[in-house]
Amino acid sequence: MAPSGTADPRVTPVMSLIAGGTAGGIESFLTYPFEFAKTRVQLRAERGIPTPRNPFVVVGQVIQKEGARALYLGCSTLVIGTIGKDAIRFMSFDAIRRGFADPETGSLSALRSLGAGMSAGVVASTFAVTPTERVKTALIDDARNTSAAGKSISERQFRGAWHATKTLVKEHGMYGLYRGYVTTTLKQAGTTSVRMGTYNILKEYTQKYDIPQNTATSFGNGAVAGIITTYATQPIDTVKTRAQSAKGAGTVEAFKGVIEDYGVKGLWKGSTMRLGRTVFAGGILFTAYEQVIAVLMPVMGRNDTSLENKTATQ
C-alpha cells in the first residue's frame, strides 16, 4: 500500500489521486489555525513589538481582536489548493517512485525515495501550490494590515479568495499568482522529499521489524516525518511567506528583508507554530491516505493474483 517501502502495483494513479486529495483536504482543514498563526508571525511586524512564539497566544489574540472566524480566513483557498496539491503529489510520487524503484524487488533506497519526493514536490508546486499559497498569504496579510490600521472589514483590499485572485491577475497578470514561485517550489521539493522520503523509510523500517501496520504506526511515522521536515525546510518557508505578502516582494528582496528585520535566526521564525501543524498534519495526512487506499483497494484495486503474490514477496 503506497506510500511504503515498496511500490505496490495494485495502487493505481486514480487511487493515489483520490486518496491524496481526500487526505490533504482533511489535514488542511483540521490544522489551519496553526497555519494561520505561523503566517501571521512570518509577515513583517512593527519594530520594537515582540512577536509571540506560542501559537495559542497568537490564536487567542486573533479571536479577541477579530473574532473566531478570522482564524479560518483564507482556509477555503488552502483546502482547495491542498486537495489539488496532495492529489497531484501522491499520484506523481507513486508514479515517479515506480520509475525509481528496483525493477526486480520494487524496493526503493533512501536516496531514491528522497529523489522521488523532490520531483513530486516540483510538480505539485507548479500545478497547485504556488497560486493557492499566494492567495492565502495575501488574504492573511491584507487582514493583518487592515486590523493594524484600525480599519473595518469592508475596507480590506480583498473581499475573499476569488476577489483576491481576480485582483492579483488584473494588477500583475498571471505572474501575480506565481510570485514566490522559486521559494515555493524549493519548499515543496524539500518538504515533499523529506516528508515522503522519511515516511517511506520509516514505514519500510517498521515492516522490516514486523511492527503492526495500524493507524497508530501510520500516525507516528507521519508525525516524525513532520518534525524533520519542519526544521529542514523552515528558512525557505519564511522567505516564501514574505515574498507572497499582500504587497509582494522578489525572492532576494524577501530574504534580505528577513535578515534585516530579525537576523539569521529570523529564517526559522514561525517554526514552533509550523511544527505544531506539521506534526499533526503529517500524522493525519498519511493516516487518512492509508485508510482511503484501504477502502478503495477492494473497489478499484487490481486484484490479480500474480500481483498479490508479487507484492507479498517484496
Side-chain angles (χ1 to χ4, degrees):
M1 186 179 298
S4 65
T6 58
D8 190 336
R10 295 174 299 169
V11 179
T12 67
V14 174
M15 291 168 63
S16 295
L17 188 75
I18 295 173
T22 302
I26 294 171
E27 173 269 313
S28 60
F29 180 79
L30 293 178
T31 62
Y32 189 76
F34 285 104
E35 175 67 17
F36 181 94
K38 184 267 302 180
T39 302
R40 271 286 178 95
V41 167
Q42 288 178 330
L43 292 167
R44 188 186 299 274
E46 295 181 33
R47 291 184 181 277
I49 300 179
T51 304
R53 292 174 57 86
N54 189 326
F56 296 103
V57 172
V58 176
V59 169
Q61 290 177 346
V62 171
I63 292 176
Q64 183 179 15
K65 296 179 181 179
E66 304 170 47
R69 290 182 61 184
L71 287 175
Y72 275 85
L73 183 65
C75 179
S76 60
T77 304
L78 184 69
V79 170
I80 293 171
T82 302
I83 289 174
K85 173 191 71 176
D86 284 321
I88 293 171
R89 184 163 62 176
F90 274 97
M91 182 179 69
S92 58
F93 179 74
D94 283 341
I96 294 169
R97 184 180 56 179
R98 289 189 181 96
F100 282 25
D102 185 294
E104 294 184 3
T105 65
S107 62
L108 205 66
S109 66
L111 187 60
R112 289 187 176 189
S113 183
L114 292 175
M118 186 175 295
S119 300
V122 173
V123 174
S125 176
T126 302
F127 291 100
V129 181
T130 300
T132 53
E133 281 284 319
R134 168 67 164 132
V135 173
K136 178 215 71 176
T137 303
L139 283 169
I140 294 176
D141 192 30
D142 182 40
R144 179 184 69 94
N145 291 333
T146 302
S147 176
K151 298 179 180 180
S152 64
I153 295 177
S154 62
E155 295 178 281
R156 288 177 179 172
Q157 180 183 358
F158 305 126
R159 295 192 296 271
W162 179 239
H163 180 253
T165 301
K166 292 192 296 182
T167 301
L168 291 171
V169 172
K170 182 179 179 180
E171 294 180 352
H172 307 287
M174 286 302 295
Y175 173 75
L177 295 179
Y178 277 85
R179 186 180 291 277
Y181 173 75
V182 174
T183 48
T184 302
T185 301
L186 287 173
K187 178 200 170 185
Q188 285 302 309
T191 298
T192 306
S193 64
V194 174
R195 174 182 276 187
M196 301 191 84
T198 301
Y199 181 85
N200 210 53
I201 293 168
L202 289 172
K203 184 166 184 178
E204 188 173 55
Y205 178 86
T206 58
Q207 290 174 332
K208 179 180 179 180
Y209 289 94
D210 297 322
I211 297 174
Q213 299 302 301
N214 51 32
T215 300
T217 302
S218 295
F219 192 94
N221 289 344
V224 172
I227 294 172
I228 296 172
T229 300
T230 296
Y231 288 107
T233 63
Q234 186 62 27
I236 299 173
D237 184 71
T238 301
V239 175
K240 175 200 72 69
T241 298
R242 181 68 67 90
Q244 293 180 324
S245 63
K247 294 182 179 179
T251 302
V252 176
E253 180 185 353
F255 176 79
K256 289 181 178 178
V258 173
I259 299 298
E260 290 173 359
D261 289 346
Y262 310 111
V264 176
K265 289 171 59 177
L267 293 173
W268 277 268
K269 199 169 186 62
S271 58
T272 302
M273 298 177 190
R274 186 172 170 228
L275 183 64
R277 182 191 176 200
T278 51
V279 169
F280 288 109
I284 294 169
L285 179 68
F286 288 107
T287 301
Y289 179 88
E290 299 281 6
Q291 293 301 315
V292 174
I293 286 291
V295 171
L296 294 176
M297 186 68 78
V299 179
M300 301 176 62
R302 294 176 293 179
N303 294 315
D304 187 283
T305 304
S306 63
L307 288 178
E308 291 182 353
N309 291 337
K310 181 180 179 182
T311 302
T313 61
Q314 294 177 349

